[in-house]
DNA sequence: AAAACGTGGTA
DNA sequence: TTACCAAGTTT
């Protein structure tokens, strides 16, 4: 083990630290839907949803998801489209597809019982080192570390660990620390308490050290360096891509949608046909040509006003220019990933936020036109 | 190891 | 407005 870390760990009264932390948690823990019981499936779903996502955002999705897919069996048998739709707006959609694939694996290979050991649970899609430790400790009471961003922040302060927590290699050091510190009498509460403390007290910018149950154990507080920790390097800026998006309507009141590829960005989500904008062509012309070449459709761009919609991802920004097109001829063969759908069909499709906003705006404009 | 992968909230 | 943040995993 790292010498500096070992020195710090030996300065901690492990028994007292665990007791102080867990006692605080028992008193202060938030009343959250996934804390209703220790059903491993419920814990699992919550851990996947909570990845990179705030508690307040997750709660309504979680409640709805557990109503729709209450058990391993229910989720295993559900159509993937339904699962993606239930995830619409949550982001990182591969989480939903991986979760269902993993649940199907549990259903078929483990008789519907979520594995209670590190090797098997880690082999499941979408279950990385954090989630594996979280399920094993919270649902099964196993003394495994569950190191997330909260835990790295809290422990970087408690133990004055100056490693860059943005680097993948840093996580191991924190796992070592947790293995040393973990409260064997209640690993579930210990891990949850570490995260809860990070969420409520030991926050990124202004930690409330005066409220901290383990202030007496904190090396950073003792030397006054809590505001300098953790060390976290910056991520690079997002790139901008300009897109042309088209709402193509036929004479049956239907609109053209297409499903994205099953790999990569927004995999398997539905959208209005979109193209990377060409610098050379004027939008009308490019739209007409691409509808012809990619969808075998003869379309006329209407002169109703263009809409504009931005979509900001972590690593990417779409600047979308949205036009409307009229299609007279619908006999031609659509590509495999495309469909004509009605207004009400659209609401049932899983769409990314930008396309959902466009769909809503389009619906409003239709309703206005109908009135006048 | 570094980049891809979503979204909404906050300073 | 920019920048960072939130219970990470996969490639």
């Amino acid at each position: 083990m790292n010498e500096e870390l070992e020195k710090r760990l030996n300065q901690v009264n492990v028994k007292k630290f665990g007791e102080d932390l867990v006692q605080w948690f028992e008193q202060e823990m938030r009343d959250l839907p996934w804390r209703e019981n220790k059903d491993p499936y419920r814990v699992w779903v919550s851990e996947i949803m909570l990845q990179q996502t705030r508690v307040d955002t997750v709660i309504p999705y979680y409640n709805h998801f557990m109503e729709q897919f209450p058990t391993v069996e229910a989720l295993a048998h559900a159509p993937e489209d339904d699962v993606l739709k239930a995830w619409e707006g949550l982001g990182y959609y591969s989480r939903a597809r991986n979760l269902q694939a993993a649940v199907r694996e549990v259903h078929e290979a483990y008789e519907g019982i979520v594995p209670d050991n590190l090797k098997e649970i880690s082999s499941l899609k979408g279950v990385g080192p954090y989630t594996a430790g979280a399920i094993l400790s919270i649902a099964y009471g196993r003394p495994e570390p569950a190191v997330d961003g909260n835990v790295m922040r809290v422990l970087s302060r408690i133990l004055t660990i100056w490693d860059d927590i943005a680097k993948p290699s840093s996580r191991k050091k924190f796992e070592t620390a947790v293995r040393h510190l973990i409260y064997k009498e209640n690993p579930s509460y210990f891990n949850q308490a570490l995260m809860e403390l990070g969420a409520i007290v030991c926050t990124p910018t202004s930690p409330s050290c005066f409220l901290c149950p383990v202030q007496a154990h904190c090396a950073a507080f003792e030397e006054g360096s809590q505001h300098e920790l953790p060390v976290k390097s910056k991520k690079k800026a997002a790139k901008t891509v300009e897109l042309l998006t088209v709402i193509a309507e036929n004479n049956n009141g239907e609109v053209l949608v297409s499903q994205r590829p099953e790999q990569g960005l927004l995999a398997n989500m539905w959208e209005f046909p979109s193209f990377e904008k060409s610098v050379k062509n004027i939008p009308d012309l490019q739209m007409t040509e691409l509808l012809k070449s990619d969808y075998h459709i003869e379309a006329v761009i209407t002169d109703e006003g263009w809409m504009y919609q931005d979509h900001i991802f972590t690593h990417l920004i779409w600047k979308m220019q949205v036009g409307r097109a009229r299609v007279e001829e619908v006999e031609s063969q659509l590509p495999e990933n495309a469909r004509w759908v009605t207004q009400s069909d659209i609401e049932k499709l899983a769409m990314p936020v930008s396309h959902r906003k466009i769909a809503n705006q389009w619906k409003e404009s239709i309703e206005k036109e109908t009135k006048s």
Side-chain angles (χ1 to χ4, degrees), chain A residues 52-108:
Chain A
Q52 301 292 283
T53 311
R54 286 186 155 75
V55 165
D56 288 344
T57 303
V58 167
I59 289 173
Y61 281 92
Y62 182 80
N63 287 331
H64 175 253
F65 195 93
M66 294 313 302
E67 252 180 60
Q68 192 175 0
F69 314 111
T71 62
V72 164
E73 178 146 29
L75 184 56
H77 292 321
E80 186 191 285
D81 287 349
D82 291 359
V83 180
L84 268 186
K85 179 63 187 178
W87 213 270
E88 184 184 277
L90 251 192
Y92 288 139
Y93 299 99
S94 67
R95 290 183 297 173
R97 304 198 311 125
N98 287 155
L99 173 61
Q100 190 184 29
V103 159
R104 284 175 170 166
E105 167 83 5
V106 167
H107 180 63
E108 287 154 22

Side-chain angles (χ1 to χ4, degrees), chain A residues 55 68 75 81 83 98 101 139-140 148 163 172 201 229 253 259 275 282 302 308 311 314-315 348:
Chain A
V55 165
Q68 192 175 0
L75 184 56
D81 287 349
V83 180
N98 287 155
Y140 292 117
D148 72 335
D163 298 41
K172 285 175 178 285
V201 175
L229 287 165
Q259 190 172 29
F275 319 95
I282 56 173
T302 64
Y308 297 87
H311 190 148
T314 304
H315 62 299
K348 299 171 198 155

Side-chain angles (χ1 to χ4, degrees), chain A residues 11-46:
Chain A
Q11 288 167 353
V12 178
N13 181 336
V14 174
K15 183 166 184 294
K16 185 69 162 46
F17 177 76
E19 287 171 357
D20 288 349
L21 187 62
V22 168
Q23 186 191 330
W24 170 82
F25 181 69
E26 288 175 334
Q27 196 168 319
E28 299 294 330
M29 72 169 136
R30 293 167 289 180
D31 189 11
L32 300 171
W34 44 90
R35 288 178 175 162
E36 216 173 84
N37 58 50
K38 296 199 281 192
D39 176 356
Y41 171 69
R42 291 178 60 88
V43 172
W44 183 6
V45 171
S46 77

